[in-house]
Amino acid sequence: MTDHSRAEVCAAAIADAFKDDGEIFASPMGMLPMLGVRLAKLTSNPDLVISDGESLFLGGVPPLFAKADVVEGWIPFRRVFDVVAYGKRHVMMGATQVDRHGNQNISAIGDFARPTRQLLGSRGAPGNTVNNRTSYWVPRHSPKVFVEQVDVVSGVGPARAKAAGPGAAKYNDIHRIVTNLGVFDVRGADDTVRLLSTHPGVSVDDVVAATGFALEISDDVPTTREPTESELMIIRNVLDPKNLRDREVPPVEAAK
């Protein structure tokens, strides 16, 4: 068995979320999503279209936060909305809350009329979730994040999209939720969150204890696959030689 950190397992799981997308614009939001998407670009899905997160389409795959090495196009912010409407995009966002129906909140905590915490605001989450394949990355899985019902719906889950009608439901696709504990989707009974795998060193009981609602869990939950030797080489020597990944998922959660 290869030595690897939990962050490296998460990066490989994120890469797997993008591996079957083909030629599509990958929009990772956050450091681990960026690492996973670039890993997918260099391994399982070379057709992915990636950007520098600002205004350039990249022809090469530079290390995290390095200056673009090969530029093949221009994607200023206003043009991103054209891509969102067109739908050829897979975005991986963060989530302050996710509920059992896959709704996401990045707007506020508490009663919407008088929240106890103001967050980012819904920003692009509604448009993303009704137009594009959408996944979520949660670096600290806890009952405060995985709640029975989100305080504010920013990203729309499949049940709510279907209730809103075909305009919202036709392209709604909550593909994966990757956390520091496991991998999930929203294809459980009645469009609820389902546990797909637990990361090495994590038990199903660990996930249940860290989740504030009843998950759909099969009788035999597999372990998330370990990154290959080739993937570890790419992560450690090419994409993240400064080991920024461990800042997001600490090395105390290392798996061997």
Side-chain angles (χ1 to χ4, degrees), residues 50-232:
I50 64 172
S51 78
D52 65 350
E54 294 184 8
S55 61
L56 302 174
F57 281 129
L58 303 183
V61 186
L64 296 179
F65 307 114
K67 185 177 180 180
D69 53 352
V70 180
V71 175
E72 65 177 9
W74 188 47
I75 181 74
F77 189 66
R78 64 181 178 272
R79 287 192 60 194
V80 172
F81 292 99
D82 296 333
V83 180
V84 171
Y86 179 53
K88 293 285 288 181
R89 178 171 175 258
H90 183 175
V91 56
M92 177 169 272
M93 305 176 67
T96 305
Q97 291 180 325
V98 178
D99 67 24
R100 66 187 299 265
H101 285 285
N103 300 302
Q104 170 243 34
N105 175 22
I106 54 171
S107 185
I109 300 298
D111 187 287
F112 187 73
R114 194 176 180 85
T116 58
R117 294 288 187 276
Q118 180 64 54
L119 306 174
L120 291 172
S122 292
R123 299 176 69 86
N128 290 339
T129 51
V130 301
N131 287 298
N132 305 151
R133 171 169 278 190
T134 303
S135 295
Y136 298 122
W137 160 243
V138 177
R140 293 174 181 82
H141 189 132
S142 79
K144 291 184 177 180
V145 177
F146 286 85
V147 296
E148 182 67 29
Q149 183 174 326
V150 296
D151 293 337
V152 180
V153 176
S154 304
V156 182
R160 186 175 287 267
K162 290 173 184 176
K170 184 175 182 180
Y171 298 111
N172 178 262
D173 178 10
I174 308 303
H175 182 58
R176 288 290 184 272
I177 304 169
V178 180
T179 82
N180 62 318
L181 298 184
V183 181
F184 309 79
D185 67 10
V186 195
R187 296 183 181 276
D190 299 319
D191 297 314
T192 55
V193 175
R194 176 177 64 166
L195 177 61
L196 297 180
S197 68
T198 58
H199 297 332
V202 178
S203 70
V204 171
D205 287 344
D206 292 333
V207 175
V208 170
T211 305
F213 55 80
L215 289 160
E216 180 166 314
I217 302 172
S218 68
D219 292 335
D220 186 17
V221 177
T223 301
T224 308
R225 74 170 182 89
E226 300 173 5
T228 66
E229 290 281 3
S230 176
E231 287 174 321
L232 289 174

Side-chain angles (χ1 to χ4, degrees), residues 13-24 40-41 43-48 88 90 133 173 175-176:
I14 291 169
D16 285 350
F18 288 81
K19 69 177 182 178
D20 297 323
D21 285 346
E23 188 176 2
I24 195 171
K41 173 75 172 175
T43 56
S44 58
N45 188 1
D47 291 331
L48 274 179
K88 293 285 288 181
H90 183 175
R133 171 169 278 190
D173 178 10
H175 182 58
R176 288 290 184 272

